[in-house]
Amino acid sequence: MTHISRKWTDDEIDFLINNFLTMTDQEIGNYLSRTKDAIERKRAKLKLNKNEKLCLDQSTIKEILSSKLTYQEIAERYHITREQARNIYRKYDPKGYVAKTKLWSNEEEVFLIKNYLTMGDESIACILERSPSSILKKRLKLGLHRNDFHIVENPPDKYWTEEEIEFLVSNIDMLTYEEISQKLKRSVKAVMIKASKLGLVTNGSKWSEKEDSLLMQYSRKTIEEIAFILDRSPKAIKHRLNKLGIARKSGQDTSLEQKVEKIIKDLGVKYLKQVILGSDFNFKADFVIGTIVIEANGDYWHGNPILYPIPNEMQKLAIEKDLIKKRYFEELGYKVYEIWEYDVNTDFPKVKRKIARLLGNQ
């Protein structure tokens, strides 16, 4: 029986070019449903040598490492690929590479675990705003294999009419992706991708009356807190709030932040609120007064050790993030102080004296 080789598509070739330096041939083969030998042959034909060295001198590499550029900006400025830029950090500055790499949140991991058997890596990547290769790597790291079957990812439809977009926007919260795809005669993946591009991503399920009731009940909490409680994405929460006519901002202050801000205001000092410090991360400081950072930490969400000596998984992640955030602010020259919700609620005068003492010692 004659074996007929499957023709390589442009998308497959692009995937190979973009990932051959950071993924093994076997991993690429698993993703593309091709054998390791097929990947090696195609890579050799395209002259994609894994051992090829960068033609950059040490002074240029030091210049790259000291810059605040993104991988894409480095690639464009120094005429290398984005993956080669990443490899420079991997080899010469592992800590810098970790800092530039987008960390996985607990919610993202849960979403991947729940959906990897029913969704392809490209669809998951679209919803989580990550690359398909990062989805594959995380999936394999978590031991989430698809050995028994292969999910076929049909190419998304390219052109959407204004009527179709209007229908999608109007029905995203009332119909599932499957129902919308049937109405528009498009693939489920095409609907998901378009919804993501329009910022309408939800978990694919209708909003129940109980969810709407809880949404209104928790409307004073932050978008992220509501998203965690209802197990929906922050974008879905924002969209639903707008649908229900509940006007609010993504960064609306919690009651704790309002209390801490009142203390600072009463002291008559100048301060900044919810400001990003530095350029390596998107970490926001709750309050910045000169070289002092005050973080208002909710007991549950940040895992107050007094109330939660054995933190749950979400709290463990929050504690780890808070520690990274604190160390980063301290590297920038700031002194970081945490104000706990428990202390504010049980001994407000003491908290006022503490903040006054901190700000008076600047």
Side-chain angles (χ1 to χ4, degrees):
M1 181 176 177
T2 305
H3 173 71
I4 301 176
S5 60
R6 179 159 57 95
K7 185 178 179 180
W8 281 72
T9 66
D10 291 338
D11 288 341
E12 287 178 315
I13 293 173
D14 287 342
F15 184 88
L16 176 59
I17 292 173
N18 290 331
N19 295 282
F20 80 98
L21 286 173
T22 58
M23 297 174 64
T24 66
D25 291 338
Q26 186 63 59
E27 288 175 338
I28 295 175
N30 291 341
Y31 183 81
L32 298 180
S33 297
R34 292 181 178 272
T35 65
K36 180 182 176 182
D37 290 342
I39 302 302
E40 289 177 348
R41 288 195 300 270
K42 191 64 176 179
R43 191 163 52 75
K45 189 174 181 180
L46 294 173
K47 297 180 180 180
L48 303 175
N49 185 3
K50 285 180 178 288
N51 298 319
E52 184 177 356
K53 294 182 179 180
L54 291 174
C55 298
L56 297 176
D57 54 35
Q58 290 299 315
S59 62
T60 303
I61 291 176
K62 287 182 179 179
E63 182 181 317
I64 291 174
L65 295 176
S66 63
S67 72
K68 300 296 184 182
L69 302 175
T70 64
Y71 292 129
Q72 186 60 42
E73 290 169 339
I74 291 172
E76 293 173 356
R77 177 173 295 186
Y78 296 96
H79 306 291
I80 59 178
T81 67
R82 189 172 182 272
E83 292 306 319
Q84 287 173 326
R86 290 165 65 93
N87 284 335
I88 289 175
Y89 274 88
R90 283 195 187 96
K91 182 175 181 180
Y92 297 100
D93 185 10
K95 290 184 179 180
Y97 171 70
V98 172
K100 281 180 175 285
T101 302
K102 182 182 177 184
L103 299 176
W104 278 73
S105 68
N106 186 47
E107 289 78 7
E108 287 178 312
E109 288 188 1
V110 170
F111 183 88
L112 177 59
I113 293 169
K114 284 183 177 179
N115 297 282
Y116 83 98
L117 287 176
T118 56
M119 296 172 61
D121 290 343
E122 288 186 5
S123 296
I124 295 174
C126 177
I127 290 177
L128 297 184
E129 297 180 353
R130 290 179 175 272
S131 67
S133 62
S134 72
I135 301 299
L136 173 63
K137 290 176 185 177
K138 190 65 175 180
R139 185 163 58 75
L140 296 178
K141 187 176 181 180
L142 293 174
L144 307 176
H145 301 282
R146 301 189 186 113
N147 296 326
D148 299 330
F149 60 93
H150 174 63
I151 294 176
V152 178
E153 292 271 62
N154 296 319
D157 302 312
K158 291 184 178 179
Y159 305 107
W160 282 69
T161 66
E162 291 184 4
E163 290 77 10
E164 287 176 314
I165 293 174
E166 184 177 348
F167 180 87
L168 176 60
V169 173
S170 301
N171 294 278
I172 189 69
D173 288 326
M174 294 176 283
L175 302 176
T176 64
Y177 287 129
E178 290 76 13
E179 290 170 334
I180 294 175
S181 70
Q182 291 172 4
K183 293 284 185 180
L184 298 180
K185 293 181 171 56
R186 288 181 174 271
S187 67
V188 173
K189 180 185 175 184
V191 174
M192 292 171 67
I193 290 176
K194 194 63 179 179
S196 176
K197 288 182 178 179
L198 295 173
L200 308 175
V201 174
T202 72
N203 66 1
S205 61
K206 298 178 184 178
W207 283 81
S208 66
E209 291 183 4
K210 288 185 177 180
E211 280 185 307
D212 283 344
S213 176
L214 282 174
L215 188 61
M216 299 181 73
Q217 178 182 338
Y218 292 127
S219 63
R220 297 297 299 175
K221 292 183 177 293
T222 66
I223 294 290
E224 291 72 20
E225 288 173 341
I226 300 173
F228 180 81
I229 292 170
L230 297 182
D231 196 21
R232 288 183 179 266
S233 70
K235 285 184 179 179
I237 299 299
K238 292 180 195 175
H239 185 67
R240 190 60 178 174
L241 285 169
N242 290 333
K243 280 274 186 180
L244 296 175
I246 304 175
R248 54 164 294 149
K249 297 179 181 178
S250 170
Q252 183 170 329
D253 297 342
T254 63
S255 59
L256 173 62
E257 290 170 342
Q258 292 171 359
K259 291 176 182 177
V260 173
E261 184 175 11
K262 185 178 186 307
I263 295 174
I264 298 173
K265 279 184 177 179
D266 291 344
L267 292 172
V269 297
K270 293 182 179 179
Y271 66 94
L272 297 174
K273 184 174 68 172
Q274 293 293 324
V275 60
I276 296 176
L277 301 178
S279 57
D280 297 311
F281 296 95
N282 287 324
F283 291 151
K284 287 184 179 179
D286 288 341
F287 301 97
V288 180
I289 308 95
T291 58
I292 288 180
V293 168
I294 295 178
E295 294 284 271
N297 290 346
D299 293 326
Y300 178 76
W301 301 105
H302 293 268
N304 188 335
I306 295 176
L307 301 179
Y308 303 96
I310 304 177
N312 59 32
E313 291 303 314
M314 186 278 293
Q315 289 169 333
K316 287 179 182 177
L317 287 170
I319 291 169
E320 183 179 356
K321 177 185 175 182
D322 287 343
L323 182 59
I324 295 171
K325 183 177 177 182
K326 181 179 180 181
R327 287 174 177 170
Y328 179 64
F329 288 165
E330 288 175 343
E331 288 176 4
L332 295 175
Y334 292 91
K335 294 180 180 179
V336 181
Y337 298 95
E338 297 172 336
I339 302 297
W340 286 101
E341 180 182 9
Y342 174 81
D343 296 326
V344 171
N345 291 337
T346 57
D347 198 341
F348 188 69
K350 183 178 178 180
V351 173
K352 289 179 67 175
R353 291 193 298 270
K354 178 181 178 181
I355 293 178
R357 186 170 61 253
L358 293 175
L359 302 185
N361 291 333
Q362 286 202 90

